[in-house]
């Protein structure tokens, strides 16, 4: 899976995300356990480990999507490497309603606020999602990226 590059100077405005059904906000320090459990249960332990870095930052660099105080999605930035977006995920039942894009834009705007001009999406799975929502481009010769030589999964 290739790394992608996103030009943060050309981000769509945050208010352009049709995700009214969801509350998108930063996670709180006292939510580390439920957010990690949500990520492990619905996605993977390694993604939960990656976002732990975001919980050690101030402000916390993990956004969550909720419906009636139930977690349905998350996105992290500046966790796995500097300037990186990800990991991110929305539970299947809530997909296709704008939450993924809203989480992505909240995170990318936060990276832009930090001073970055470009963001990197490491080892992107749904490349077309990133191309469509934020004009991401594939970085040539970016495979294998940082995930090479990682420990065998214990899950
Ligand atoms: C990728 C993911 C976060 C998208 O979340 P989502 O809430 O379904 O996305 P949205 O509803 O905000 O989609 C925004 C747009 O992208 C499109 N889109 C979403 N997923 C797509 C995909 N896999 N491929 C192409 N387009 C996609 C939607 O159709 C929508 O288009 P529209 O604006 O014309 O309606 C979600 O599918 C997911 O959690 N996938 C599994 C985990 C994963 O792969 N994470 C990324 C790791 S790099």
């Amino acid at each position: 899976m290739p790394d992608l590059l996103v030009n943060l100077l050309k981000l769509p405005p945050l208010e352009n995300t049709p995700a009214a059904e969801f509350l998108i906000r930063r996670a709180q320090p006292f939510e580390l356990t439920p957010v990690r459990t949500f990520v492990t249960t619905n996605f993977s332990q390694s993604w939960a480990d990656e976002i732990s870095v975001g919980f050690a930052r101030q402000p916390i660099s993990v956004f969550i999507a909720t419906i009636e105080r139930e977690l349905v999605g998350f996105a992290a930035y500046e966790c796995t490497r500097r300037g990186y977006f990800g990991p991110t995920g929305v539970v299947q039942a809530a997909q296709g309603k704008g939450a993924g894009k809203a989480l992505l834009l909240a995170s990318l705007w936060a990276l832009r606020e930090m001073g970055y001009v470009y963001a990197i999406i490491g080892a992107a799975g749904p490349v077309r999602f990133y191309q469509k929502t934020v004009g991401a481009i594939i970085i040539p010769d970016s495979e294998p990226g940082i995930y090479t030589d990682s420990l065998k999964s214990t899950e």
Side-chain angles (χ1 to χ4, degrees):
M1 295 191 289
D3 294 339
L4 311 183
L5 196 67
V6 181
N7 185 341
L8 300 179
L9 302 182
K10 296 185 176 172
L11 283 180
L14 267 178
E15 58 270 22
N16 269 19
T17 55
E21 184 178 338
F22 306 95
L23 173 65
I24 307 287
R25 66 164 173 84
R26 278 181 201 275
Q28 298 266 22
F30 43 82
E31 294 169 328
L32 170 64
T33 300
V35 176
R36 273 193 56 107
T37 302
F38 169 84
V39 175
T40 304
T41 305
N42 292 287
F43 300 99
S44 72
Q45 179 183 281
S46 58
W47 283 12
D49 287 350
E50 284 182 284
I51 71 162
S52 298
V53 175
F55 275 90
R57 304 183 64 84
Q58 285 180 325
I60 286 173
S61 61
V62 179
F63 282 96
I64 56 173
T66 65
I67 300 177
E68 293 174 1
R69 298 174 62 201
E70 289 275 342
L71 250 180
V72 295
F74 78 100
Y77 66 94
E78 195 80 349
C79 285
T80 311
R81 288 289 193 278
R82 290 194 193 276
Y84 263 46
F85 168 79
T88 187
V90 173
V91 291
Q92 215 158 8
Q95 286 180 11
K97 298 175 183 172
K101 182 178 177 183
L103 288 162
L104 173 64
L105 282 185
S107 302
L108 293 180
W109 274 103
L111 281 168
R112 179 169 150 164
E113 284 297 308
M114 291 178 76
Y116 290 107
V117 176
Y118 293 92
I120 293 164
I121 298 162
V127 171
R128 288 184 56 77
F129 165 70
Y130 295 111
Q131 288 171 328
K132 182 175 188 176
T133 50
V134 292
I137 57 169
I138 293 173
I139 300 175
D141 201 22
S142 57
E143 293 179 85
I146 59 162
Y147 296 95
T148 186
D149 296 335
S150 56
L151 291 174
K152 279 183 188 163
S153 173
T154 53
E155 292 171 59

